[in-house]
Amino acid sequence: MIHGIIDIGSNTIRLNVYQINENNVFEILFSKKEAVGIVSYVKKRIMSEEGILKLEQCLIRFKEMMHALNIGSFSAFATASLRNIDNTQEVLDRVKNDCDIKIDLLSGAQEGRLSFKGAIHGLAHDNGIYVDTGGGSSEIILYDHNQIGYVASLPIGSLNMFNKYVKAILPKAKEVKLMKERVMKELKDAEKDKGTFRCRYLAVTGGSMRALRSVLVSLKWIAKDCYEFDSNLLKELTKYLLEDEERCAHLFLKVKPDRIHTLFCGLVIIDTIAQYTQAEKIQVSMNGVREGYLIERVIGEQNAKKISVYTKS
C-alpha cells in the first residue's frame, strides 16, 4: 500500500509519501514541501481570501502530483495553522468544495500525542520531555517508560514569533530577549505544578530543530552522524549568532535558506525550553506527527492510554 500524508503547517505544507507492507512496516518514498507561510495571511484571527487561495493552490499541486504517480490514497491534516483562527470551518469547507480534500483538524493534545507516537521508537531515553516545535505552536510531552504522562500545547512557534517580535529578517538582541520572556511565560503557565517541566533528557522534533542540527554540523560543533548533544551548545549558538548578523545570515542561507527568517526564532524557543527544563542533553528526533498520524489514523493502531492535557488557545 502507498499512502500520502499532507501536513498543513503554519510555515510549510509538506507531502510525505509512504510505502506500507503487509506487516504494517512503513518507509518514506519521497517528501515534498512548500513554504506557503499561511499564518502570514491571518489578521485578527481571520485567514484572508488570499491565504485560502494559497492553501488551495498548494493542495491542488500536491493532489495532481499524486495523481500523476497513481497514488490514490492520501490524508490531509492541519494543526495550529487552522485551529488558531476564527474562520476555521470556512477554510475547511472551502478546501472540501474546491479541492475535494477533507482536512483533519488536530487539537494541540492530539498533535502532541501523535507526534510522540511517531517518534517513540527512535528515542534514546525512555523518560524525559519530548518537544514538537512548529510554525504556530509547540507541543511539550512529559513521558516515563515511553508512556505519555502530560501534554501541553503552547501557542508559540517559529513563524508566529517572527511575525510578532522581529522587525527585520534576523532578530536583534532586544527582540531575542522579548521572545525568551514570552516562552518562559508560556512554560510557567503550562506547568501542572511548579517543577513539572524538569528533565535530564530533551527530545526535539520539527523543521527548526533539524535545521539547527545542520547548522551545528556546518560549524563543525558536532559530527555529521551526531543526533544527541550537550544542551549548552544551543546557548552558545545563540550568543555566536548574535555577535555578527552578517555571519548569521550567511550561515542560514548556506544551510537552510527557506528558513532564514524563522530559524533564529526556532532556536530561541528550543534553547529557552532546554534552559527552563534544566536538560543536560538534547536529542534530535527525525520522526514526528506525520508518522504518528500514519500509525494511528491510517494503519489503525489505537492509543488507549489516558493522558492529562493542557491546551492554551
Side-chain angles (χ1 to χ4, degrees):
M1 173 185 177
I2 296 179
H3 190 84
I5 298 284
I6 300 175
D7 177 357
I8 302 167
S10 300
N11 190 25
T12 61
I13 301 176
R14 182 184 290 271
L15 166 65
N16 279 6
V17 174
Y18 300 89
Q19 184 167 35
I20 309 165
N21 69 17
E22 63 275 10
N23 297 317
N24 289 335
V25 176
F26 60 87
E27 63 176 335
I28 188 167
L29 296 179
F30 70 88
S31 182
K32 172 73 174 177
K33 74 171 183 178
E34 292 192 16
V36 181
I38 57 176
V39 75
S40 301
Y41 300 95
V42 176
K43 304 296 180 185
K44 296 182 179 179
R45 293 182 61 90
I46 298 294
M47 181 175 292
S48 68
E49 176 68 18
E50 184 181 5
I52 297 173
L53 289 175
K54 291 282 188 181
L55 169 61
E56 289 184 334
Q57 290 163 2
C58 177
L59 293 177
I60 289 170
R61 284 192 292 272
F62 283 168
K63 189 175 179 180
E64 289 175 344
M65 181 189 304
M66 286 187 285
H67 179 73
L69 296 171
N70 293 316
I71 301 169
S73 174
F74 72 93
S75 307
F77 69 83
T79 51
S81 58
L82 297 187
R83 71 171 178 256
N84 290 343
I85 59 176
D86 290 339
N87 60 333
T88 300
Q89 195 57 52
E90 177 194 352
V91 177
L92 296 178
D93 291 343
R94 282 278 300 275
V95 170
K96 182 68 173 66
N97 292 332
D98 297 346
C99 310
D100 194 24
I101 295 174
K102 182 181 179 181
I103 298 173
D104 191 357
L105 183 66
L106 301 182
S107 69
Q110 289 172 326
E111 181 182 359
R113 178 169 56 79
L114 291 173
S115 181
F116 182 77
K117 175 167 284 190
I120 187 172
H121 299 295
L123 298 183
H125 308 282
D126 65 3
N127 62 80
I129 294 179
Y130 174 83
V131 180
D132 186 344
T133 62
S137 69
S138 295
E139 280 59 53
I140 299 180
I141 298 95
L142 276 67
Y143 69 99
D144 187 30
H145 292 89
N146 289 330
Q147 297 296 322
I148 297 175
Y150 182 62
V151 176
S153 181
L154 311 184
I156 47 173
S158 59
L159 188 54
N160 63 15
M161 293 284 274
F162 170 80
N163 289 335
K164 184 173 179 62
Y165 293 101
V166 184
K167 292 183 179 180
I169 300 298
L170 296 171
K172 307 293 185 184
K174 184 178 180 180
E175 293 168 331
V176 168
K177 182 175 181 292
L178 289 173
M179 285 191 285
K180 287 177 71 71
E181 290 173 352
R182 170 70 186 281
V183 177
M184 292 287 282
K185 180 184 184 303
E186 295 293 345
L187 288 166
K188 289 177 181 177
D189 288 347
E191 275 192 308
K192 218 175 167 186
D193 302 295
K194 188 176 181 180
T196 298
F197 293 155
R198 296 291 182 273
C199 66
R200 290 185 63 191
Y201 306 112
L202 195 68
V204 186
T205 193
S208 290
M209 186 69 259
R210 291 190 288 271
L212 289 169
R213 192 194 80 87
S214 297
V215 168
L216 293 173
V217 170
S218 179
L219 290 170
K220 298 184 179 179
W221 288 14
I222 62 172
K224 288 183 179 180
D225 59 352
C226 176
Y227 289 86
E228 186 175 61
F229 51 84
D230 192 300
S231 63
N232 285 328
L233 276 184
L234 294 187
K235 185 177 180 180
E236 292 299 318
L237 181 61
T238 302
K239 181 181 177 181
Y240 176 81
L241 296 176
L242 280 174
E243 287 174 351
D244 190 326
E245 184 174 306
E246 185 176 344
R247 179 175 63 188
C248 177
H250 179 76
L251 182 60
F252 285 178
L253 286 171
K254 175 184 174 183
V255 175
K256 206 69 176 175
D258 61 325
R259 289 185 179 269
I260 186 171
H261 61 307
T262 61
L263 190 50
F264 210 131
C265 300
L267 170 60
V268 172
I269 292 170
I270 299 165
D271 180 39
T272 306
I273 293 173
Q275 291 182 43
Y276 189 87
T277 59
Q278 299 177 14
E280 298 172 11
K281 297 286 185 179
I282 295 176
Q283 179 191 353
V284 182
S285 173
M286 302 306 287
N287 291 331
V289 67
R290 290 180 288 275
E291 288 73 25
Y293 191 95
L294 184 73
I295 291 169
E296 183 171 303
R297 304 292 175 90
V298 179
I299 295 174
E301 179 181 329
Q302 297 299 315
N303 187 340
K305 297 291 182 182
K306 292 190 71 175
I307 57 175
S308 56
V309 176
Y310 168 91
T311 303
K312 181 176 179 179
S313 60

